[in-house]
Amino acid sequence: MNLQKYPSAPYVVPFFVFLLFLGIGPHLPIAEQIEHPLRFAILSAVLWVFSRQVISFRTTRAISSILLGVAVFILWVGPDLLISGYREHWLFQNPLTGTLKSSLSDEARSNPWILSIRSLRAVVLVPIIEELFWRAWLMRWIISSNFRKVPLGTYSAFSFWVTALLFASEHGPYWEVGLLTGVVYNWWMIRTRSLGDLILTHAVTNACLCAFVLATGRWEYWM
């Protein structure tokens, strides 16, 4: 990938492919046993081809990043566990935000192979794809289209809140915890100025959420 000619591509292309799969995945005329590993393979290949030069796993505050990831997981599931029927309110399920519906079929929920691939994608690929887009690219690009001259973690109130709001919109009926998560992740990028720390935090949150879904059968968290 020619970073000089297409500087945004390593950050944007994987996210675009990720969203494309979210949109067309349920309509693909192939079995889930094929679709899930195929999606994992394609996303992995896209990251390798387009983004390997800009991905950094170096952390500056690894332990704090892990603890923050657990805290965000608690933030994510807390309202639904503490307040019966909380997510059924029209503020969360409506024509704009959508309704709670798992992307996994009943058959897939009892298939260890599909569950393993789905969990692996959520823990390994999604944090890289989303952190490249939201906090390594968008937070900087909003400040300046010549974003590579903007250091990671540079604060701008407009950039901070636009990124958080758009991140929230990606999470449908979970928009309010998505917004809080976006705020926390944005803040952590400002504090650490490290893509590696954000990937780690996001991965821990997703790992905890995967374990929670598999342990409780709350499949609606896997939209």
Side-chain angles (χ1 to χ4, degrees):
M1 170 55 62
N2 188 330
L3 296 181
Q4 297 300 322
K5 191 174 182 180
Y6 306 106
S8 293
Y11 304 89
V12 176
V13 171
F15 188 73
F16 174 79
V17 175
F18 173 64
L19 291 183
L20 185 65
F21 268 118
L22 289 180
I24 69 172
H27 308 290
L28 290 175
I30 56 177
E32 286 181 287
Q33 290 86 347
I34 299 175
E35 190 267 328
H36 283 275
L38 178 63
R39 185 187 305 194
F40 185 91
I42 291 176
L43 288 173
S44 299
V46 169
L47 280 172
W48 174 255
V49 172
F50 287 93
S51 309
R52 66 183 184 275
Q53 296 178 62
V54 300
I55 296 173
S56 172
F57 297 110
R58 184 183 65 84
T59 62
T60 61
R61 303 183 185 183
I63 295 176
S64 297
S65 294
I66 292 171
L67 294 175
L68 186 63
V70 175
V72 172
F73 158 71
I74 295 171
L75 175 71
W76 198 269
V77 302
D80 296 312
L81 295 180
L82 294 174
I83 305 173
S84 178
Y86 174 82
R87 197 62 55 185
E88 297 174 7
H89 195 280
W90 64 266
L91 281 173
F92 308 118
Q93 297 194 66
N94 55 64
L96 182 62
T97 62
T99 58
L100 292 179
K101 183 180 179 181
S102 175
S103 59
L104 291 178
S105 68
D106 292 339
E107 181 181 2
R109 296 172 192 179
S110 60
N111 187 316
W113 167 246
I114 292 178
L115 295 179
S116 298
I117 294 294
R118 178 66 176 78
S119 299
L120 194 62
R121 188 176 80 234
V123 175
V124 177
L125 298 185
V126 171
I128 300 173
I129 292 169
E130 292 204 334
E131 293 311 319
L132 280 174
F133 179 81
W134 293 114
R135 275 153 285 274
W137 179 74
L138 187 62
M139 277 185 72
R140 295 192 290 165
W141 183 84
I142 292 175
I143 296 172
S144 171
S145 58
N146 191 7
F147 71 96
R148 288 184 296 175
K149 291 188 176 181
V150 180
L152 283 171
T154 298
Y155 176 74
S156 156
F158 183 71
S159 172
F160 184 101
W161 288 105
V162 167
T163 301
L165 287 168
L166 291 176
F167 184 79
S169 70
E170 181 191 18
H171 293 90
Y174 294 97
W175 64 264
E176 95 289 5
V177 286
L179 176 60
L180 292 174
T181 299
V183 168
V184 171
Y185 286 173
N186 289 357
W187 167 79
W188 196 233
M189 175 59 88
I190 293 168
R191 288 294 301 272
T192 65
R193 297 180 178 269
S194 165
L195 176 61
D197 279 289
L198 267 295
I199 290 173
L200 177 58
T201 298
H202 201 146
V204 170
T205 299
N206 285 6
C208 291
L209 191 57
C210 285
F212 176 79
V213 169
L214 294 174
T216 64
R218 298 286 293 269
W219 304 105
E220 66 271 17
Y221 283 99
W222 276 358
M223 297 185 66

